[in-house]
Amino acid sequence: MDKFEKTTVADPANRDPITGEPGSHPIGTGAGSATAAAAGAAIGAVAGGPVGAIIGGVAGAVSGAIVGHSAAEQVNPTIEGQYWRDNFQKRPYYQKGRTYGDYEPAYRHGWESAGQVAYKDRTFDQVEPELGRKWAERADKGAMTWDQARDASRDAWDRVR
């Protein structure tokens, strides 16, 4: 078993690591919260100055977290992980000798990104440059480059869309 199999199989309920509640989606919740907080702060600043910015930011963060969590809830990481674990070697980009653990971060990047509110009405091709930049920020040293991971990410993106 590689290091990634343990994280996707161990908790089929996808429990929150702090509360233990099922259905944890910290990336979706965080992305929605951050995006809406920024928008709320900007709108609040125009309408009410610094105090409006604070109120707008808080309101945006709360509503964004709810929307982001809801969007992420549409993608079950346990099901996606199992699907790709069973099928990665059948994909045209598969390179002999690579393990699921090599591809899992790319698949996860694709399915998580596809569920983000910021990308809701955009195609993979439209967001691919941004996904590539984010991949470079989150990829482990020695991991696949974006050129190597792109097709797997696109595959996971297309599957959840």
Side-chain angles (χ1 to χ4, degrees), residues 7 14 17 22 32 41 46 55 64 69 80 89 107 112 124 128 141:
T7 61
N14 198 36
V46 170
I55 293 169
H69 181 82
E80 292 308 307
Q89 291 177 315
Y107 290 131
E112 287 176 351
F124 184 90
E128 191 268 332
K141 298 229 184 282

Side-chain angles (χ1 to χ4, degrees), residues 44-71:
V46 170
V51 173
I54 292 169
I55 293 169
V58 170
V62 171
S63 63
I66 293 167
V67 170
H69 181 82
S70 177

Side-chain angles (χ1 to χ4, degrees), residues 136-157:
E137 294 169 5
R138 79 185 269 186
D140 293 333
K141 298 229 184 282
M144 290 181 174
T145 65
W146 179 240
D147 286 340
Q148 295 168 321
R150 179 187 302 111
D151 290 339
S153 279
R154 178 189 298 267
D155 224 1
W157 171 287

Side-chain angles (χ1 to χ4, degrees), residues 10-160:
D11 186 11
N14 198 36
R15 295 190 182 280
D16 183 281
I18 297 170
T19 66
E21 290 293 314
S24 171
H25 299 287
I27 292 175
T29 303
S33 180
T35 302
I43 292 167
V46 170
V51 173
I54 292 169
I55 293 169
V58 170
V62 171
S63 63
I66 293 167
V67 170
H69 181 82
S70 177
E73 189 69 28
Q74 302 301 317
V75 178
N76 184 323
T78 304
I79 291 171
E80 292 308 307
Q82 189 60 53
Y83 174 84
W84 291 113
R85 184 176 294 102
D86 293 343
N87 292 287
F88 79 101
Q89 291 177 315
K90 301 171 191 166
R91 306 306 300 152
Y93 48 81
Y94 170 71
Q95 295 176 347
K96 188 174 180 167
R98 286 207 182 257
T99 66
Y100 175 69
D102 294 328
Y103 287 98
E104 193 274 346
Y107 290 131
R108 181 172 295 278
H109 186 53
W111 81 59
E112 287 176 351
S113 297
Q116 289 183 13
V117 175
Y119 301 141
K120 180 180 175 229
D121 296 321
R122 298 168 66 193
T123 67
F124 184 90
D125 289 331
Q126 291 171 327
V127 301
E128 191 268 332
E130 188 173 341
L131 296 180
R133 284 189 298 278
K134 288 184 177 185
W135 175 260
E137 294 169 5
R138 79 185 269 186
D140 293 333
K141 298 229 184 282
M144 290 181 174
T145 65
W146 179 240
D147 286 340
Q148 295 168 321
R150 179 187 302 111
D151 290 339
S153 279
R154 178 189 298 267
D155 224 1
W157 171 287
D158 289 344
R159 177 174 149 75
V160 300

